[in-house]
């Protein structure tokens, strides 16, 4: 047995480590929005114009038709007629005086606006319930 030599073998062992992950629900959040209406009074300026008309009798003979004249806030519109006499003459019968009076006032106009409020509620994880595909939408 001289040819046979004893050989001892030492096995070489290598360990490898792998890491894997899985989703676990650790908690949930419930968010609810609520819309409320708020009533406001909005100030608004309104303007109006009042017209005061005064007829002023004149009854005076004139040679030509007068023009419409504006003096300050008064517009004077002549009203004429022809009268038959032996000759034709113009008479200023009357004048119409138109005065513009402007009024301004501030009023409150009611208006409704909407506003949302948010309620956030933190919920514990349901440990008895395994991870589901729908849970990915949970925050």
């Amino acid at each position: 047995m001289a040819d046979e030599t004893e050989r001892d073998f030492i096995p070489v062992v290598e360990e490898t480590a792998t890491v894997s992950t899985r989703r676990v629900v650790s908690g949930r959040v419930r968010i609810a929005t609520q819309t409320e209406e708020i009533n406001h009074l909005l100030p608004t300026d309104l303007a109006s114009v009042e017209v005061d008309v005064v007829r002023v009798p004149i009854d005076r003979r004139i040679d030509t038709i007068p023009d419409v004249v504006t003096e300050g806030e008064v517009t004077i519109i002549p009203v004429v007629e022809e009268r038959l006499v032996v000759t034709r003459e113009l008479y200023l019968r009357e004048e119409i005086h138109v005065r513009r009076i402007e009024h301004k006032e501030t009023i409150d106009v009611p208006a409704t606006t909407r506003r949302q409020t948010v309620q956030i509620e933190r919920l514990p994880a349901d440990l008895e319930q395994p991870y589901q595909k729908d849970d990915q939408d949970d925050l």
Side-chain angles (χ1 to χ4, degrees):
M1 287 211 174
D3 288 74
E4 283 188 38
T5 56
E6 278 187 42
R7 292 187 179 176
D8 290 332
F9 290 102
I10 300 176
V12 176
V13 178
E14 177 182 353
E15 291 184 352
T16 60
T18 60
V19 178
S20 62
T21 61
R22 65 182 175 98
R23 290 186 173 204
V24 176
V25 177
S26 62
R28 295 179 183 265
V29 175
R30 180 180 298 146
I31 299 175
T33 60
Q34 179 179 349
T35 302
E36 60 186 44
E37 292 184 352
I38 303 164
N39 293 323
H40 300 280
L41 291 178
L42 304 175
T44 303
D45 291 332
L46 296 180
S48 65
V49 175
E50 180 182 329
V51 177
D52 182 30
V53 177
V54 177
R55 297 176 82 123
V56 179
I58 302 289
D59 203 29
R60 180 179 69 218
R61 185 187 163 303
I62 56 174
D63 294 326
T64 60
I65 298 175
D67 293 327
V68 175
V69 178
T70 300
E71 296 176 355
E73 296 204 3
V74 176
T75 301
I76 301 172
I77 303 169
V79 178
V80 297
E81 74 176 359
E82 290 181 340
R83 294 184 184 170
L84 288 176
V85 192
V86 177
T87 59
R88 186 180 296 183
E89 299 175 342
L90 284 176
Y91 279 84
L92 180 61
R93 283 187 44 212
E94 65 180 334
E95 291 178 340
I96 308 245
H97 293 212
V98 178
R99 180 180 318 247
R100 292 187 187 115
I101 302 166
E102 188 171 318
H103 298 284
K104 288 188 181 182
E105 66 176 298
T106 299
I107 63 167
D108 291 327
V109 176
T112 301
T113 58
R114 291 183 289 250
R115 170 177 61 194
Q116 287 188 330
T117 57
V118 176
Q119 295 175 346
I120 300 174
E121 180 181 356
R122 296 199 180 270
L123 305 172
D126 190 357
L127 299 178
E128 295 176 9
Q129 196 175 20
Y131 169 76
Q132 296 176 358
K133 182 181 175 189
D134 293 339
D135 289 341
Q136 69 183 354
D137 294 333
D138 293 346
L139 298 176

